[in-house]
Amino acid sequence: MRERKRGRRLATVLVGAAAGVGACALAAFLILNGVGAGEGKDAGQVVGSGAAESSPMSKSERTIVPDSCELLDEGVAGKLAPGAARTQADNYQSSDHQNQCVWGAYTGDRKRQLTVELRAVEAAQGRSATDAARATFTSERGADESGKALLAGQELTDKAPLDGVGDEGYVVYSVDDGQGSGEAIANVRTGNVLVTIHYSGGNKGEPLPSSDAMNGATEAAKSILEGLSAS
């Protein structure tokens, strides 16, 4: 199975933070200096920005994300990709702001690939990190739900919102009959963090059904969100 390229998603998080005015300037200073919003927080892990706190939709913003390989519940990973080998993705260099982990089982009748990607979007162009993440999420949703982000040979056949999962989320499903593979992508925003799940595979040469793929990707996304809330 082919691993889907995620270059378009990574470009956003590599954009350098630009200082804003007023409350945004204070937020950028606090983030760069690792100052927490309250007592008991590790420096640089979770911070509250003035811009974020001024909005009723905003939450505390993260400057780093945990290791996605360690964050996904082992039971969920074992259920979705039985017998899969776990590896850090090597298609880009991991950092405190982003990382990706892959569980792959590429032999036998039940091939599976599960990819978890975490991104802490930084403040940019005078916007808070949460607002920048919201804009990135909206752009990616448009590309995924329209099918514009698909590889050659893939056909979008299903999509659905993920109500009550994070601040906003969606899941899409596509089929590649030539590869005998079905893939679901779940993308969820929580604050300024984007959680993106790819879950694909096939059974004896037939694509993984949409219900199995979409439910599996959603289950993995929920597991990651639970891990984030506890970290």
Side-chain angles (χ1 to χ4, degrees):
M1 281 180 289
R2 299 173 297 179
E3 180 178 354
R4 184 171 179 235
K5 301 298 183 182
R6 305 304 296 168
R8 67 176 179 84
R9 301 199 185 282
L10 301 174
T12 302
V13 296
L14 296 178
V15 175
V21 294
C24 290
L26 176 59
F29 176 82
L30 292 174
I31 293 172
L32 293 173
N33 288 275
V35 179
E39 295 180 0
K41 299 293 184 182
D42 294 334
Q45 183 176 3
V46 182
V47 298
S49 71
E53 290 166 356
S54 66
S55 170
M57 296 182 61
S58 299
K59 297 180 179 180
S60 297
E61 297 178 343
R62 289 180 178 263
T63 59
I64 65 174
V65 291
D67 183 352
S68 56
C69 284
E70 302 296 334
L71 202 60
L72 182 66
D73 182 85
E74 291 183 2
V76 173
K79 173 186 174 182
L80 298 181
R86 189 187 76 179
T87 58
Q88 285 279 356
D90 58 1
N91 62 330
Y92 68 97
Q93 186 175 2
S94 297
S95 70
D96 287 342
H97 302 287
Q98 60 191 41
N99 64 76
Q100 192 178 84
C101 193
V102 179
W103 287 258
Y106 307 110
T107 60
D109 292 335
R110 299 181 69 229
K111 299 178 175 63
R112 295 290 187 272
Q113 180 169 298
L114 174 65
T115 303
V116 175
E117 181 183 357
L118 296 176
R119 291 168 287 159
V121 180
E122 297 179 339
Q125 299 177 348
R127 295 182 296 189
S128 70
T130 297
D131 285 341
R134 186 180 293 114
T136 299
F137 175 89
T138 299
S139 175
E140 293 178 359
R141 183 171 196 165
D144 284 335
E145 292 188 339
S146 67
K148 293 180 179 179
L150 294 178
L151 294 173
Q154 290 181 314
E155 179 186 0
L156 182 69
T157 63
D158 203 357
K159 59 185 177 181
L162 292 179
D163 298 327
V165 182
D167 293 327
E168 51 186 339
Y170 64 90
V171 59
V172 299
Y173 173 80
S174 62
V175 173
D176 189 328
D177 290 324
Q179 294 288 322
S181 178
E183 179 186 33
I185 301 172
N187 200 14
V188 175
R189 181 184 67 81
T190 175
N192 70 313
V193 174
L194 298 182
V195 177
T196 306
I197 309 293
H198 289 252
Y199 182 45
S200 61
N203 300 319
K204 297 182 178 180
E206 295 296 324
L208 184 66
S210 60
S211 58
D212 293 346
M214 296 173 77
N215 289 338
T218 302
E219 184 177 2
K222 289 179 178 179
S223 174
I224 291 294
L225 291 176
E226 289 177 3
L228 279 173
S229 66
S231 67

